[in-house]
Amino acid sequence: MIKTTRFLGYDKDEYGKLIINEDEAKIVRRIFKEYLSGKGSFTIAKEFNVEDIPTTTGAKWHDTTILVI
């Protein structure tokens, strides 16, 4: 079983199946795009915090969070 309470980009439907959460998926796509273009995880996290982009828990972004994604 996957813990979806902190699984950025997905939710569960009424049957317990994973479905894409488009708002969160945009964040995940941006992380990959920026990382692949050469930005480091620290820079991405810093920019997300400046832009007030929410994490799944409402906490601040950290470079380790970006790396795990």
Side-chain angles (χ1 to χ4, degrees):
M1 176 174 268
I2 296 173
K3 185 176 180 180
T4 58
T5 55
R6 295 179 64 185
F7 199 67
L8 188 67
Y10 290 91
D11 292 321
K12 280 187 177 178
D13 68 10
E14 63 272 11
Y15 305 107
K17 292 189 173 199
L18 291 176
I19 56 171
I20 295 174
N21 176 322
E22 275 303 326
D23 290 334
E24 292 180 357
K26 289 176 188 175
I27 296 169
V28 175
R29 289 183 195 111
R30 180 175 166 189
I31 289 169
F32 277 89
K33 179 181 174 188
E34 293 191 14
Y35 192 80
L36 291 173
S37 75
K39 283 188 183 177
S41 57
F42 178 81
T43 302
I44 296 168
K46 184 177 176 183
E47 289 176 358
F48 280 14
N49 288 325
V50 168
E51 296 174 33
D52 289 324
I53 294 174
T55 64
T56 56
T57 63
K60 294 246 183 234
W61 286 95
H62 298 278
D63 61 326
T64 53
T65 307
I66 301 295
L67 289 174
V68 169
I69 292 171

